[in-house]
Amino acid sequence: LDGTYPSVLELTPRLAASREVQTCATSMWIRYGLGRAPVDGEQGWIDGVTQRFIASNGDVRALLVDLASSPSFLFLAEAP
């Protein structure tokens, strides 16, 4: 993403296509969806979610379905 961009309209597609941005977006959606930071045992699942999000060309709806159908999300512990 190095370089200059005369407008946000030229920057936006570059951000959307960036693997680094897609990985960060996945991580942030997971944190938000779970209401907590992921734990060590979830790294394999996180890697899979991230790869599927990248393969979907950044389809946020598919990412949210993936997150909502995961065991980590389905079996969230209730807050005290």
Side-chain angles (χ1 to χ4, degrees), residues 4-31:
T4 59
Y5 301 91
S7 73
V8 71
L9 295 176
E10 294 181 19
L11 176 60
T12 302
R14 294 284 306 270
L15 288 173
S18 166
R19 180 178 285 268
E20 184 177 352
V21 171
Q22 291 172 339
T23 299
C24 179
T26 304
S27 175
M28 293 298 103
W29 273 110
I30 288 171
R31 287 180 73 94

